[in-house]
Amino acid sequence: MRHGETLWNVEGRLQGRGDSPLSDCGIRQAGWLAHLTRGIDGFRVSSPLGRADQTARIVFGDRFRHDARLSEICVGNFAGHLERDLRGRYPDLFRGGDLAWYDRCPGGEGFAALEARCRAFLMDLTGATLVVTHGITLRMLRCLALGQAPAHLAQGVIHQGGIHMIRNGAETVMRHVDDV
């Protein structure tokens, strides 16, 4: 699951390891996730970053753990800045694939490091696990769990307020009836 919408998401501001609280819509999305996960068994884990923790507390109550490997990709010097401003200031950096620029953020983490920590997280799983994380990290986890190369990171949609279930090499997206 991706955390609920944040105030910075609404503004188009890059978060990375920075943080912003959930918007009213994000709180509603977390409530949908709580409804969708009711009755699903498994280990419950969340990124420790505030927006994911806030979502996890709504979804799981206090029955979950944090794992720093689920933190969002670090966008370095771009954290807190509006994406549209950065695109205007650094057009060359934003050339290429839809998400390729995440690998080129000044002072950022890059995809190789993100892939390594996501692989390590997945290797440690011993059974069904419910995860609250972030958009780019969820994309990487999905690629790895589906046996796809990270080059496929930009494919598909990541839904805030929806569950991306990976089972037996296939993805199913569960969405609340009010999620339109």
Side-chain angles (χ1 to χ4, degrees):
M1 297 168 261
R2 181 178 178 201
H3 62 78
E5 176 190 81
T6 69
L7 298 177
W8 280 14
N9 289 147
V10 173
E11 295 174 357
R13 197 171 296 281
L14 299 180
Q15 293 180 105
R17 300 282 172 80
D19 223 353
S20 149
L22 298 182
S23 66
D24 289 342
C25 177
I27 292 169
R28 191 168 45 255
Q29 290 167 337
W32 295 340
L33 293 170
H35 176 79
L36 290 169
T37 59
R38 217 172 285 143
I40 299 177
D41 291 325
F43 180 66
R44 298 165 190 280
V45 62
S46 171
S47 157
L49 299 179
R51 58 198 184 269
D53 177 76
Q54 187 181 2
T55 300
R57 290 188 186 286
I58 294 168
V59 177
F60 304 138
D62 61 357
R63 300 175 328 231
F64 70 98
R65 294 201 178 147
H66 289 127
D67 190 318
R69 296 175 295 184
L70 296 173
S71 295
E72 182 61 300
I73 190 170
C74 177
V75 294
N77 301 343
F78 285 1
H81 294 275
L82 294 172
E83 183 179 338
R84 70 176 174 267
D85 291 348
L86 293 169
R87 285 182 179 276
R89 223 175 303 156
Y90 305 101
D92 291 342
L93 197 80
F94 285 88
R95 283 190 174 72
D98 292 338
L99 302 176
W101 62 271
Y102 275 97
D103 202 33
R104 299 187 293 265
C105 292
E109 176 177 18
F111 288 147
L114 175 65
E115 179 182 355
R117 67 180 163 88
C118 286
R119 274 191 195 284
F121 173 79
L122 291 171
M123 294 299 296
D124 286 347
L125 296 181
T126 59
T129 305
L130 288 84
V131 172
V132 176
T133 189
H134 308 271
I136 301 302
T137 303
L138 179 55
R139 286 178 175 281
M140 183 65 76
L141 288 166
R142 178 176 66 182
C143 279
L144 297 173
L146 292 172
Q148 298 174 342
H152 296 278
L153 214 59
Q155 293 179 348
V157 176
I158 296 292
H159 296 280
Q160 286 175 307
I163 296 174
H164 294 263
M165 188 177 331
I166 309 292
R167 185 183 315 167
N168 299 323
E171 177 185 29
T172 303
V173 179
M174 296 170 50
R175 295 177 73 187
H176 191 272
V177 66
D178 293 333
D179 186 9
V180 291

